């Protein structure tokens, strides 16, 4: 009887490994298809991926804390445990230790397969789907824009920031304060945007604060999208002006918008179309540094800086990641130096992006400027077939309306 039981146990284990191998190969095959078929990825984003947020996302939304954050903690614990179990196996032999070793690594293998499957379904495939402008601004996505259009977009953003800055509520030290629910307003803003862009329509869970926001600050990260829990998470230590655009950015990932430049653009758009002045201020602020960098890099003699509005002092004052006081708290609690954490985080993000086919890595974040140029084509200027751009006020009203509705 004992021999039969042992044989049956061996057969069950072999069958388990066969199933594991088949599932691994199927998941790898899906990744291979994704790399070679944009149509398949677009179909996945439209029909399969929404089930993640509508079902799994709703379930995770029941919890007030970030489930994904604790999943990461559990993952680190399992990796450390795997090292200890492997070391123990070297020094301790015997049937009991063999059984512990076998059971642990079988469980570890199944968890690893689950991670690979979830990352494929909720992340990897998305990197090979159509980008936002390909889907919603196809004609403008094919255009090239010049320093002239860039200057018009930059000036528009700066002027709005300067005006909105004067409307903001501040404390006695001059820092911004906001007493409303940012996460609730962000969901409403994204749903409103979904009326124009159907991919963004439907259910959104409210974003959650990261418990370890100080560590997130050391990485200079404002938020995270967790594919394992379908949650949008944000850094609660950062300066409040960054929160609305960041939350909308992370919520965009829950709709299959995986590219960072696309998510930056959607975060901007959701905020500037809000009726809340603070959200609009956050939206314009979220792209200011990207636009200013490109503007200063490309500015020529024909675009003399003196002819363009300067960024107001109050806007510069608000254009920060963390306040000095918040940085002090972060550094006081830090176990590892911020420079080391930031370098490691950047390298990991760079590697993840390049592995998924984003060749320029973290530089892709700044491609939001191209999306802004496309979006404002027909709003601030009209780019004709010859590539010449004219400001909208110089056009007849009818011509401007025709060109802005052509996409």
């Amino acid at each position: 009887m004992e021999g039969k039981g042992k044989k049956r146990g061996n057969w069950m284990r072999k069958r388990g490994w066969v199933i594991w191998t088949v599932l691994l190969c199927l998941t790898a095959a899906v990744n291979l298809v994704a790399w070679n078929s944009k149509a398949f990825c677009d179909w996945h984003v439209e029909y399969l991926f929404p089930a993640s947020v509508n079902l799994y996302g709703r379930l995770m939304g029941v919890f007030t804390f970030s489930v994904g954050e604790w999943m990461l903690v559990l993952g680190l614990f399992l990796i450390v445990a795997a090292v200890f179990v492997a070391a123990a196996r070297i020094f301790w032999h015997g049937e009991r230790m063999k059984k512990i070793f076998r059971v642990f690594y079988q469980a570890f293998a199944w968890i690893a397969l689950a991670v690979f499957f979830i990352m494929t379904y909720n992340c990897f495939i998305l990197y090979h789907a159509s980008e936002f402008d390909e889907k919603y601004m196809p004609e403008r996505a094919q255009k090239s824009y010049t320093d002239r259009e860039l200057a018009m977009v930059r000036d528009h953003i700066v002027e709005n920031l300067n005006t909105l800055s004067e409307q903001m509520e501040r404390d006695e030290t001059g820092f911004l304060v906001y007493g409303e629910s940012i996460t609730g307003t962000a969901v409403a803003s994204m749903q409103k945007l979904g009326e124009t862009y159907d991919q963004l329509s439907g259910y959104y869970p409210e974003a959650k604060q990261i418990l370890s926001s100080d560590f997130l600050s050391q990485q200079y990260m404002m938020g995270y999208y967790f594919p394992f829990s379908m949650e949008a998470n944000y850094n609660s230590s950062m300066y409040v002006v960054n929160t609305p655009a960041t939350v909308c950015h992370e919520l965009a990932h829950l709709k299959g918008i995986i590219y960072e430049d696309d998510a930056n653009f959607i975060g901007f758009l959701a905020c500037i179309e809000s009726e809340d002045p603070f959200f609009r201020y956050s939206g314009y602020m979220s792209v200011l540094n990207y636009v200013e960098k490109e503007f200063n890099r490309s500015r020529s003699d024909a675009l003399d800086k003196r002819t363009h509005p300067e960024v107001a002092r109050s806007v510069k004052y608000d254009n920060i990641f963390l306040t000095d006081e918040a940085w002090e708290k972060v550094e006081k609690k830090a176990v590892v130096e911020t420079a080391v954490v930031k370098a490691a985080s950047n390298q990991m993000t760079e590697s993840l992006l390049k592995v998924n086919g984003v060749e320029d890595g973290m530089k892709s974040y700044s491609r939001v400027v191209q999306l802004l140029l496309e979006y404002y084509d027909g709003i601030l200027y009209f780019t004709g077939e010859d590539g010449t751009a004219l400001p909208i006020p110089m056009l007849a009203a009818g011509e401007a309306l025709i060109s802005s509705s052509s996409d």
Side-chain angles (χ1 to χ4, degrees):
M1 290 294 290
E2 185 179 344
K4 287 184 178 180
K6 190 172 183 179
K7 286 183 179 179
R8 180 175 175 80
N10 289 335
W11 179 79
M12 290 292 288
R13 282 195 295 273
K14 287 180 180 179
R15 188 177 72 168
W17 282 116
V18 169
I19 295 172
W20 185 91
T21 302
V22 170
L23 293 175
L24 176 66
C25 291
L26 286 174
T27 306
V30 170
N31 277 274
L32 184 62
V33 172
W35 273 85
N36 293 278
S37 176
K38 182 177 288 189
F40 165 74
C41 298
D42 287 344
W43 176 82
H44 172 82
V45 168
E46 185 173 357
Y47 295 106
L48 294 184
F49 182 77
S52 288
V53 67
N54 290 330
L55 298 176
Y56 190 46
R58 285 180 187 272
L59 176 62
M60 294 297 104
V62 171
F63 301 95
T64 57
F65 58 89
S66 172
V67 178
E69 184 176 15
W70 285 104
M71 285 181 172
L72 288 181
V73 173
L74 177 61
L76 290 173
F77 172 79
L78 287 173
I79 291 171
V80 172
V83 174
F84 275 102
V85 170
R89 182 72 177 84
I90 295 173
F91 297 103
W92 284 279
H93 304 285
E95 290 302 316
R96 186 185 180 94
M97 191 62 215
K98 285 182 180 179
K99 186 175 181 179
I100 292 173
F101 181 83
R102 183 171 59 247
V103 170
F104 178 86
Y105 278 99
Q106 282 177 344
F108 191 89
W110 279 101
I111 291 172
L113 177 60
V115 168
F116 183 37
F117 173 80
I118 292 171
M119 286 296 289
T120 295
Y121 187 91
N122 289 341
C123 186
F124 297 155
I125 295 176
L126 310 183
Y127 277 105
H128 307 288
S130 296
E131 296 186 44
F132 191 79
D133 59 348
E134 288 182 89
K135 187 172 182 179
Y136 292 107
M137 300 184 289
E139 293 182 14
R140 283 173 274 181
Q142 303 301 317
K143 292 182 179 180
S144 296
Y145 296 92
T146 68
D147 293 354
R148 182 185 178 89
E149 295 92 76
L150 175 62
M152 281 189 271
V153 170
R154 180 265 177 193
D155 292 353
H156 175 75
I157 289 169
V158 170
E159 287 168 355
N160 275 280
L161 281 169
N162 291 348
T163 300
L164 287 166
S165 175
E166 298 175 0
Q167 303 172 24
M168 296 297 102
E169 183 181 351
R170 300 177 184 273
D171 61 20
E172 63 279 0
T173 62
F175 287 123
L176 296 169
V177 292
Y178 186 73
E180 304 298 324
S181 169
I182 289 179
T183 56
T185 305
V187 167
S189 297
M190 290 296 291
Q191 289 175 330
K192 179 182 176 183
L193 201 60
E195 296 173 5
T196 303
Y197 306 103
D198 59 340
Q199 186 175 340
L200 303 176
S201 62
Y203 168 77
Y204 287 91
E206 288 200 17
K208 301 175 182 178
Q209 296 182 7
I210 292 284
L211 185 63
S212 53
S213 285
D214 289 343
F215 182 64
L216 202 65
S217 297
Q218 287 189 280
Q219 302 173 57
Y220 284 77
M221 296 294 291
M222 294 183 178
Y224 265 119
Y225 155 63
F226 284 119
F228 308 108
S229 58
M230 290 307 292
E231 293 173 305
N233 298 263
Y234 66 95
N235 182 341
S236 61
S237 296
M238 65 185 175
Y239 189 40
V240 67
V241 73
N242 301 305
T243 305
T246 297
V247 171
C248 291
H249 171 118
E250 301 306 329
L251 289 175
H253 289 317
L254 296 180
K255 292 300 181 180
I257 306 295
I258 200 65
Y259 289 104
E260 294 299 331
D261 53 328
D262 285 348
N264 280 341
F265 175 67
I266 291 168
F268 160 82
L269 210 55
C271 285
I272 67 163
E273 293 195 1
S274 170
E275 296 180 1
D276 189 322
F278 187 80
F279 264 67
R280 295 200 298 275
Y281 191 55
S282 177
Y284 287 117
M285 187 72 79
S286 71
V287 297
L288 175 63
N289 290 338
Y290 295 118
V291 173
E292 279 287 273
K293 183 178 180 180
E294 292 301 319
F295 175 70
N296 290 325
R297 177 186 297 169
S298 63
R299 192 175 68 244
S300 62
D301 292 338
L303 296 173
D304 193 314
K305 188 175 181 180
R306 291 171 296 179
T307 66
H308 300 277
E310 291 187 13
V311 178
R313 181 180 297 179
S314 56
V315 174
K316 292 179 181 178
Y317 187 76
D318 291 330
N319 188 20
I320 56 174
F321 176 39
L322 266 68
T323 64
D324 290 341
E325 182 181 359
W327 269 123
E328 286 180 13
K329 291 180 181 178
V330 168
E331 297 296 349
K332 186 178 292 185
K333 295 179 182 178
V335 177
V336 182
E337 290 185 7
T338 295
V340 175
V341 175
K342 182 184 179 184
S345 175
N346 286 350
Q347 185 58 53
M348 187 169 18
T349 303
E350 187 84 5
S351 300
L352 178 63
L353 290 170
K354 288 186 176 181
V355 163
N356 283 287
V358 184
E359 296 180 0
D360 53 352
M362 290 181 68
K363 291 181 180 178
S364 63
Y365 284 60
S366 63
R367 288 208 301 264
V368 67
V369 177
Q370 174 65 24
L371 292 170
L372 292 171
L373 289 167
E374 293 169 16
Y375 172 72
Y376 280 113
D377 189 350
I379 297 175
L380 298 179
Y381 45 81
F382 166 67
T383 306
E385 294 181 2
D386 61 353
T388 303
L390 294 174
I392 288 296
M394 296 176 62
L395 300 170
E399 183 182 3
L401 287 172
I402 292 171
S403 62
S404 64
S405 61
S406 60
D407 290 333

